[in-house]
Every structure is written in structure tokens, then in C-alpha cells.
Amino acid sequence: MGLTNTGGSYLVYLLLNIILSYQLAFMLSYIFGIILSFILNSKFVFNVELSFKKLVIYPLVYLFQYASSAFLLELLIQFFNVSEQIAPLLITAVMLPFTYFVTKIILTKSYSQ
């Protein structure tokens, strides 16, 4: 699902970038990617029903992931002298399982109406 989501988001970016600035195209394609990820993970990875409450909570995973990753990036490069090319790979290896499990909790938890 990750490859489908990445490809879909990138295609949206390319199409929007024809008529919008690259920053606006990137922002909108990033939002699209979060929504697409929510749908793909709900339906195909965790096999759960879509709900508005879960859609509202779901982006918080990405907000936390980005903030944590940015902090770790700075820490690895500035304090542990990890190269700028290797540090993102290490962070991805650490964050991927975390993101998967938090996503699973959000999508499989029952939220009362």
C-alpha cells in the first residue's frame, strides 16, 4: 500500500504543479496522501470500516511522525555525526514500525458515537 500511496501522491503533485506553485502543490498532495493512506490502510491493511472520527485522528500520526523525525534528524547529524545521507534511512527504520502500530491502534480502536 505504501508504494501505491507514494505513487498516487506524487502523481497528484505533478498534476497540481502544472497550475500551482510547487509549495502549494506539495502541501495539497501531502494532504491527499494522508487521506489516501487512511483509506488504503483502513480497507486493505487493517480491514476496518471508514469513519469520520478516525479520519480526523489519523493525521495526528503524521504530525507526530514528522516532528519526531525532524528532531531525530537534528540529533543524529549534529550530535552523533551521522551523515546527512544515512540519517534519514536510520530514522525511517525506527519510525516505520512505530507509525504502523500507532496507525493500527487508531484504525482498529472502536470509537463510541
Side-chain angles (χ1 to χ4, degrees), residues 31 34-39 42 49-64 102-103 105-107 109 111-113:
I31 293 167
I34 291 172
I35 294 168
L36 181 59
S37 174
F38 171 73
I39 293 167
S42 293
E49 292 296 318
L50 300 173
S51 81
F52 183 74
K53 282 185 181 182
K54 291 177 183 179
L55 176 62
V56 170
I57 295 168
Y58 190 78
L60 296 177
V61 174
Y62 289 92
L63 180 63
F64 181 79
V102 174
T103 297
I105 291 167
I106 289 172
L107 294 180
K109 180 178 168 111
Y111 295 93
S112 6
Q113 302 293 348

Side-chain angles (χ1 to χ4, degrees), residues 11-100:
L11 180 61
V12 168
Y13 169 77
L14 292 175
L15 293 172
L16 290 175
N17 192 230
I18 294 169
I19 57 171
L20 301 172
S21 71
Y22 66 89
Q23 285 289 1
L24 186 55
F26 183 77
M27 180 187 70
L28 294 173
S29 68
Y30 192 82
I31 293 167
F32 171 82
I34 291 172
I35 294 168
L36 181 59
S37 174
F38 171 73
I39 293 167
L40 294 175
N41 281 321
S42 293
K43 287 302 200 184
F44 301 108
V45 177
F46 300 112
N47 197 28
V48 295
E49 292 296 318
L50 300 173
S51 81
F52 183 74
K53 282 185 181 182
K54 291 177 183 179
L55 176 62
V56 170
I57 295 168
Y58 190 78
L60 296 177
V61 174
Y62 289 92
L63 180 63
F64 181 79
Q65 178 190 24
Y66 181 81
S68 300
S69 296
F71 172 76
L72 289 172
L73 186 67
E74 190 70 17
L75 190 69
L76 288 174
I77 292 169
Q78 295 299 322
F79 295 101
F80 293 101
N81 297 315
V82 176
S83 79
E84 293 179 14
Q85 292 73 34
I86 300 298
L89 297 174
L90 297 174
I91 293 166
T92 299
V94 169
M95 294 305 292
L96 228 126
F98 167 79
T99 303
Y100 173 84

